[in-house]
Amino acid sequence: MNSLSSVLGIRVILGLAIVSTMLCAAILATNDISSLDHGIILMLRSAGNGGQPYGPPWVDSFVRDVTALGSFGILALSVLSVTTYLVLRGKRADAVFVFVTTGSGWLLSHALKFAVVRGRPDIVPHGVTVTSSSFPSGHSMNSAIVYLTFAVLLARSLQDPRLARFAMSLALIVIISVGLSRVYLGVHWPSDVLGGWAFGAIWVLLAVAIHRRFTSNV
């Protein structure tokens, strides 16, 4: 697992770049919400029960737990813990890589929200309190940046390709789950989540490319 291209594949990388660029351009140009966005959110709701999500109460509780994995508090604690561990292990270059990649990614997500200023879904009740604009989904983008960064570093250190694939797969499962939870809770349009995933993945790819260029052990 010596390169990120062996983990995700160059075609996936290029595809994410194209999709995210087109998506952001379309939203910036029209600031419109597609019928598909509306349809997916309403599909998850019970029309005869005040727009509440389908499923028993424990599902709603579980989804709230999952969405917390993409919250600022959980991600910040995770980044600080991993960064401190890397410093104590003498891996200062990796520690800087983690801290700078995730910190700059967080700033980028807020800059994109400020630039696009897209409204939150208003067709269903929100399952959690939100205050910022909608595009991109900060939970989706920042969880993609943090967990992909962790997975790349871990996968690179593992000798067994199966374990490396497991690390990446686990990160992807968490990232996808966080994004889907935002739609289920009615606080993001599906395209917000797709944009967050795409921009987050691309940000990590760029960071890894820069990190590899300036360090000899990547």
Side-chain angles (χ1 to χ4, degrees), residues 93-112:
D94 286 344
V96 171
F97 167 66
V98 169
F99 191 80
V100 172
T101 300
T102 56
S104 59
W106 180 79
L107 292 175
L108 176 63
S109 70
H110 279 271
L112 289 170

Side-chain angles (χ1 to χ4, degrees), residues 12 36 39 52-53 94 101 119 121 123-124 130 134 149 155-156 179 197 213:
V12 175
L36 182 61
Q52 294 301 309
D94 286 344
T101 300
I123 57 176
V124 296
V130 289
S134 197
T149 299
R156 194 186 62 218
W197 284 339
R213 182 176 181 84

Side-chain angles (χ1 to χ4, degrees), residues 78-88 95-96 98-99 102 150:
S78 299
V79 169
L80 289 175
S81 298
V82 171
T83 301
T84 302
Y85 169 79
L86 291 171
V87 170
L88 294 175
V96 171
V98 169
F99 191 80
T102 56
F150 291 170

Side-chain angles (χ1 to χ4, degrees), residues 126-209:
H126 292 174
V128 291
T129 301
V130 289
T131 55
S132 62
S133 58
S134 197
F135 184 90
S137 165
H139 278 62
S140 301
M141 181 171 173
N142 290 311
S143 64
I145 292 173
V146 170
Y147 296 126
L148 278 179
T149 299
F150 291 170
V152 167
L153 286 178
L154 179 59
R156 194 186 62 218
S157 67
L158 297 170
Q159 300 299 319
D160 189 338
R162 295 175 302 174
L163 294 177
R165 287 193 294 269
F166 173 75
M168 183 58 63
S169 297
L170 183 60
L172 292 176
I173 289 172
V174 172
I175 292 165
I176 292 171
S177 298
V178 168
L180 294 179
S181 74
R182 305 305 285 171
V183 178
Y184 181 88
L185 292 170
V187 294
H188 275 295
W189 303 106
S191 56
D192 297 335
V193 172
L194 289 175
W197 284 339
F199 282 114
I202 292 169
W203 194 248
V204 175
L205 296 176
L206 292 174
V208 169

